Amino acid sequence: MITNSVLLQAPANDWSGIIMIVALVAIFYFFMIRPQQKRQKEIKKFRDGLKTGDNIITAGGIHGKIRNVNDTTFQIEIAEGVKILIDKGSVYPSAADAAQAAGETKN
């Protein structure tokens, strides 16, 4: 009899393990993966919205004004007559830009 009851309980333990794994995957998705994807979309939207004449700060801390926009690069002027070419991926919204963009979307 003891052998039969042990065999009957084994499948229930298998299901609880599977349910725990599914729960962990769901937690990782909703608390880590999904917010990161949302943040990346916002950064991409910010970069696509930049145009000639906008002031920016690069990831390296260089302040400048956009003079030319290409597919993957910006030409920025960092001082009068000094222009550099930077990758679009090195421009992130500052805290002030993010707050302003959030205020514009709420209106």
Side-chain angles (χ1 to χ4, degrees), residues 42-73:
E42 290 172 0
I43 291 171
K44 182 175 179 354
K45 183 179 176 184
F46 168 78
R47 288 178 185 153
D48 290 342
L50 291 173
K51 58 189 178 306
T52 302
D54 288 346
N55 290 317
I56 60 168
I57 303 173
T58 67
I62 299 173
H63 294 246
K65 185 177 276 193
I66 297 175
R67 292 297 176 205
N68 190 10
V69 178
N70 297 323
D71 289 340
T72 59
T73 60

Side-chain angles (χ1 to χ4, degrees), residues 18-92:
I18 291 172
I19 291 171
M20 281 297 260
I21 291 171
V22 169
L24 285 174
V25 169
I27 288 170
F28 276 116
Y29 177 76
F30 284 110
F31 288 109
M32 295 179 74
I33 297 169
R34 189 169 174 229
Q36 180 64 25
Q37 288 174 341
K38 184 178 178 183
R39 213 169 306 128
Q40 287 175 344
K41 284 181 186 177
E42 290 172 0
I43 291 171
K44 182 175 179 354
K45 183 179 176 184
F46 168 78
R47 288 178 185 153
D48 290 342
L50 291 173
K51 58 189 178 306
T52 302
D54 288 346
N55 290 317
I56 60 168
I57 303 173
T58 67
I62 299 173
H63 294 246
K65 185 177 276 193
I66 297 175
R67 292 297 176 205
N68 190 10
V69 178
N70 297 323
D71 289 340
T72 59
T73 60
F74 292 121
Q75 182 181 31
I76 63 170
E77 184 174 26
I78 56 175
E80 192 171 327
V82 180
K83 297 178 183 175
I84 61 174
L85 189 66
I86 61 166
D87 188 60
K88 281 187 176 182
S90 68
V91 177
Y92 294 95

